[in-house]
Amino acid sequence: MHYRDSREVVQEVPAALPKFVDRPMPQRIVKPTPLTVDEIKSGLISVGDSIEASREQFTADNASLDAFYARQAELRSEVAELQRQLKEKEDKLRELEASGSPRDQFASAVVKAERDVMGLGGALLASLSEEASQRIYGISFEELSSKEARRDVQARYRKTLGFLQSQFYLKLGRESATATAEQVEARASELLDDVSALLDSGHFAE
């Protein structure tokens, strides 16, 4: 300790001891054992043999390049066939995925049936109207000049076929995305009833 002045005694604080860091000991470099004369000789002979073998292989392969590349061509052909088969399988998978669930497939079939029944009903109305026009007026239905005459010719048939000409007939077509399986089944039954009614309507000659 020492005196700063006569009134205050100052005690010195010892400085912190330095920290020592453990460091790994440097590894000693071990020099490889020198090759013996016999080992060097054996190595040179091995290199020479390797060069000669490579030269012989080159001479044989270069003399018949078709044979040399035959395996490559064979594998390339096999890869191409596998790629073709893979694409075929991928296309089939996409087709199955796009077809949706059993309900989706059923709904799609019934929607198509709606359009088919509507189209066939319209064709039947046109055919019957043509026959009636020829029978009554002796001319084609398209040649009838007045709306009244056309309406009279079709009056009998519109009672049984007119409902097929309305866009409202495509019920499931407007609701297939949200329709339940039960609703699809109900619409299928309605279509079957309509088909039966058309076949029993007496419009078809025996």
Side-chain angles (χ1 to χ4, degrees):
M1 68 180 64
H2 65 276
Y3 294 94
R4 178 178 297 177
D5 56 30
S6 58
R7 295 170 297 175
E8 182 180 3
V9 177
V10 179
Q11 185 172 3
E12 293 181 349
V13 178
L17 296 175
K19 295 182 179 180
F20 295 95
V21 179
D22 293 335
R23 296 182 179 178
M25 295 293 293
Q27 296 183 352
R28 295 180 60 188
I29 299 177
V30 180
K31 295 182 179 180
T33 304
L35 295 176
T36 65
V37 173
D38 290 340
E39 289 173 336
I40 295 172
K41 179 181 178 181
S42 177
L44 291 172
I45 293 174
S46 178
V47 171
D49 291 343
S50 176
I51 294 173
E52 289 296 335
S54 298
R55 175 186 290 168
E56 292 174 2
Q57 185 65 50
F58 167 74
T59 301
D61 293 339
N62 198 49
S64 180
L65 293 177
D66 290 341
F68 177 78
Y69 290 111
R71 183 53 179 162
Q72 294 183 33
E74 180 183 354
L75 289 175
R76 191 176 295 109
S77 177
E78 291 178 4
V79 169
E81 175 61 20
L82 290 173
Q83 289 174 334
R84 185 195 65 77
Q85 293 179 12
L86 176 61
K87 184 180 183 304
E88 183 179 303
K89 299 295 183 182
E90 288 176 338
D91 292 343
K92 184 62 178 178
L93 176 59
R94 281 192 291 269
E95 179 183 339
L96 292 174
E97 290 175 341
S99 65
S101 66
R103 187 221 71 95
D104 295 336
Q105 296 181 32
F106 185 27
S108 179
V110 175
V111 167
K112 180 180 182 302
E114 274 186 338
R115 298 194 186 98
D116 290 344
V117 173
M118 183 178 184
L120 291 170
L124 179 59
L125 177 60
S127 179
L128 294 174
S129 298
E130 178 65 22
E131 291 178 1
S133 179
Q134 292 285 357
R135 185 174 63 253
I136 298 172
Y137 298 103
I139 59 175
S140 169
F141 180 79
E142 294 297 327
E143 294 176 339
L144 293 175
S145 57
S146 67
K147 294 182 180 180
E148 291 76 10
R150 292 188 178 192
R151 186 167 55 249
D152 291 342
V153 167
Q154 290 187 330
R156 172 188 173 190
Y157 307 118
R158 281 195 173 277
K159 292 180 180 179
T160 55
L161 302 174
F163 74 102
L164 294 172
Q165 304 309 298
S166 171
Q167 290 298 320
F168 291 103
Y169 187 74
L170 302 177
K171 296 178 182 179
L172 189 63
R174 300 191 304 272
E175 305 169 355
S176 60
T178 57
T180 64
E182 290 75 15
Q183 290 172 323
V184 177
E185 175 64 41
R187 183 55 178 152
S189 297
E190 291 176 356
L191 289 174
L192 287 174
D193 291 341
D194 291 344
V195 170
S196 297
L198 288 171
L199 291 174
D200 297 337
S201 62
H203 295 316
F204 299 93
E206 296 295 335

